[in-house]
Amino acid sequence: MKITSGLMNICATIIAFTFSLKVFAISPADIKKGEYLARVGDCVSCHTAPHGKDFAGGLPMLTPVGAIYTTNITPDPETGIGKYTESEFAKALRRGVAKDGHHLYPAMPYPSYAKVSDTDIHYLYVYFKHGVKPVRQANKASEIPWPLNYRFPLAIWNAVFLDKDTYKPDPKKDANWNRGAYLVQGLGHCGACHTPRGLAFQEKGLTQESGKFLSGETLEGWSATNLRGDHNTGLGRWSESDIVVYLKSGANQHSSSFGTMTTVINNSTEGMTLQDLTGISSYLKTIKGSDDKGQKPYKYDATATLAQFKAPEKYPGAKLYQQYCAACHSQNGQGVAPYLSPLAGNPAVMDPDPSSLINVILNGSPQLKPQGVAAPFNMPKFRHILNDIEVAQLVTFMQKSWNHNLEATDTKDVAKIRKMPPSAH
């Protein structure tokens, strides 16, 4: 009995010593790598509620069948992921399956994270286990009604739509391009917002091989713009340098960030390395455009637009623009880039879907804070100043001005976005 007891004590000592070595082996450098990867993945933007604690969850996300709430991913053992093993963490990230076996909704971009390498998964796990402060905050139940809230059909969804392969470098491309492709398709999960979704909420393309990949989509009242090479509505007129500047600062000579993209800039891309941003821009510039949504290549012409300002009684949209917009964006629509966004030729303005224009006029935009410093100018909200008819007139003016020649915006489109909950603002 004494021998057995002694052996047990020795075994316990060895286990404890091995565990202590494992903890000791977690270096600050590994935590730092994981922290950077979490920034690339913009985890904090989705997993932090307004005025909430970092990574504690609770942010509402609108879906076609009801709102869901992001979860607590701090290392709290009771309400967070504190009891997750690394393999369980990887399974949640790549397969959308939580520790207890329930399936996550694909609003969590695990189809993109499936491409993330084992090494990066490890660093992320180390960071969230040892670099994030635990927060005791219970997760909120979704608002999806019965019986749509049953999760077992998600296993079928995964079988049909989930590509489980990690990213495989293209040997025909250089390391810079492959790094960009890995970040855009994987951890950056750009397609989760910028790729159209099908009836089953699946992304219609996961790589540049699909003509739908990154071609633009409308989510929560915002039109996530086309990131392909289309001349008018995409990045066709942007250089690689333009893309890098935009991702680093939130503005360039063509456009400024607004809406939810502003939080992506503030919490993610502005803190990425120049090498990674260059890789992203290199990759994006190789994705060919489609048909530019039926538009002819844009050429700037303000002649007809400037003439409207001379007869404001005939053109209510021009009058409203003169009152509320021209001071910043100029009558010629060219603004003062990059501080005051140009509207003429802006891909967001030339998007046939006016959702973003309507939303940003009604609700303004979050403050850009590149490198932690607030941008000098910010888009204010006009929802309490302009009624639906006036917003529709103003949007229509911008869609038709400076040789844009798009369709008019309906008042019903404005009313729909005005009624959306604050999470869509």
Side-chain angles (χ1 to χ4, degrees):
M1 290 293 292
K2 290 183 179 180
I3 295 175
T4 303
S5 177
L7 288 173
M8 289 177 65
N9 289 336
I10 292 172
C11 290
T13 301
I14 293 173
I15 292 171
F17 179 73
T18 303
F19 177 77
S20 67
L21 284 178
K22 186 176 181 181
V23 172
F24 182 78
I26 297 169
S27 69
D30 288 351
I31 294 175
K32 201 70 177 176
K33 289 178 182 177
E35 181 181 16
Y36 177 76
L37 292 169
R39 176 179 285 270
V40 172
D42 197 22
C43 306
V44 72
S45 288
C46 286
H47 287 275
T48 305
H51 312 295
K53 295 182 178 179
D54 287 354
F55 304 115
L59 181 74
M61 304 185 77
L62 304 182
T63 77
V65 292
I68 60 176
Y69 293 87
T70 56
T71 56
N72 184 341
I73 56 172
T74 74
D76 179 69
E78 301 303 326
T79 63
I81 60 171
K83 293 181 179 178
Y84 274 60
T85 64
E86 186 168 334
S87 62
E88 290 168 340
F89 178 81
K91 190 175 182 180
L93 217 58
R94 288 172 166 163
R95 303 292 180 259
V97 180
K99 178 182 175 65
D100 64 3
H102 81 266
H103 287 268
L104 307 177
Y105 294 109
M108 155 68 173
Y110 62 85
S112 298
Y113 295 158
K115 296 179 181 290
V116 178
S117 69
D118 291 343
T119 301
D120 284 351
I121 291 288
H122 170 71
Y123 288 133
L124 282 165
Y125 179 73
V126 169
Y127 171 63
F128 279 105
K129 287 283 284 188
H130 303 282
V132 173
K133 183 178 179 180
V135 177
R136 181 70 56 95
Q137 179 174 297
N139 293 316
K140 293 184 178 181
S142 81
E143 296 177 2
I144 298 175
W146 180 90
L148 298 177
N149 60 349
Y150 283 125
R151 298 192 185 226
F152 67 86
L154 292 170
I156 301 173
W157 191 97
N158 286 350
V160 175
F161 298 115
L162 180 61
D163 181 354
K164 298 182 179 180
D165 293 335
T166 55
Y167 177 79
K168 293 180 175 59
D170 185 340
K172 297 178 182 179
K173 302 292 186 179
D174 62 23
N176 192 48
W177 185 95
N178 274 294
R179 177 63 176 174
Y182 171 72
L183 293 174
V184 170
Q185 295 176 23
L187 200 53
H189 63 282
C190 303
C193 288
H194 291 272
T195 297
R197 293 188 180 253
L199 292 176
F201 204 64
Q202 83 283 8
E203 293 170 47
K204 291 184 177 180
L206 295 172
T207 73
Q208 71 281 353
E209 302 300 325
S210 167
K212 296 291 185 181
F213 182 58
L214 301 181
S215 62
E217 173 66 313
T218 301
L219 294 169
E220 297 191 332
W222 296 98
S223 178
T225 54
N226 179 356
L227 300 183
R228 300 177 69 87
D230 295 281
H231 184 270
N232 293 0
T233 61
L235 303 179
R237 287 172 286 141
W238 294 32
S239 67
E240 289 187 22
S241 177
D242 287 332
I243 297 173
V244 171
V245 169
Y246 179 85
L247 294 176
K248 196 69 177 175
S249 67
N252 63 17
Q253 63 175 317
H254 302 285
S255 186
S256 296
S257 69
F258 54 85
T260 51
M261 188 62 197
T262 301
T263 61
V264 175
I265 302 291
N266 289 341
N267 296 329
S268 179
T269 60
E270 68 92 19
M272 292 173 65
T273 65
L274 182 60
Q275 182 177 1
D276 279 351
L277 293 178
T278 301
I280 289 172
S281 65
S282 173
Y283 171 65
L284 290 177
K285 285 299 292 182
T286 63
I287 303 178
K288 296 180 180 179
S290 50
D291 62 352
D292 224 342
K293 299 186 178 180
Q295 301 175 12
K296 295 179 181 179
Y298 175 72
K299 290 184 179 180
Y300 176 77
D301 185 350
T303 305
T305 304
L306 294 175
Q308 291 187 34
F309 291 122
K310 297 178 181 180
E313 68 282 354
K314 294 182 180 180
Y315 304 102
K319 182 178 180 180
L320 289 167
Y321 183 87
Q322 182 78 354
Q323 285 180 285
Y324 299 107
C325 310
C328 289
H329 300 286
S330 305
Q331 286 188 347
N332 61 18
Q334 295 182 326
V336 185
Y339 305 106
L340 297 167
S341 178
L343 300 178
N346 189 317
V349 179
M350 298 195 70
D351 188 341
D353 182 347
S355 297
S356 288
L357 274 181
I358 296 170
N359 207 331
V360 78
I361 290 171
L362 288 175
N363 303 308
S365 184
Q367 181 79 56
L368 259 175
K369 297 179 181 178
Q371 312 305 312
V373 179
F377 304 101
N378 195 47
M379 176 67 187
K381 62 178 66 175
F382 291 94
R383 67 182 296 122
H384 302 301
I385 299 173
L386 303 176
N387 61 36
D388 292 350
I389 294 175
E390 291 170 326
V391 172
Q393 291 172 336
L394 183 55
V395 172
T396 296
F397 170 79
M398 289 187 280
Q399 289 182 305
K400 292 183 175 295
S401 294
W402 311 298
N403 204 32
H404 291 160
N405 301 318
L406 297 175
E407 295 294 324
T409 291
D410 195 293
T411 306
K412 294 179 181 178
D413 296 329
V414 180
K416 180 180 177 181
I417 291 179
R418 189 188 288 273
K419 292 177 182 177
M420 297 185 78
S423 60
H425 300 173

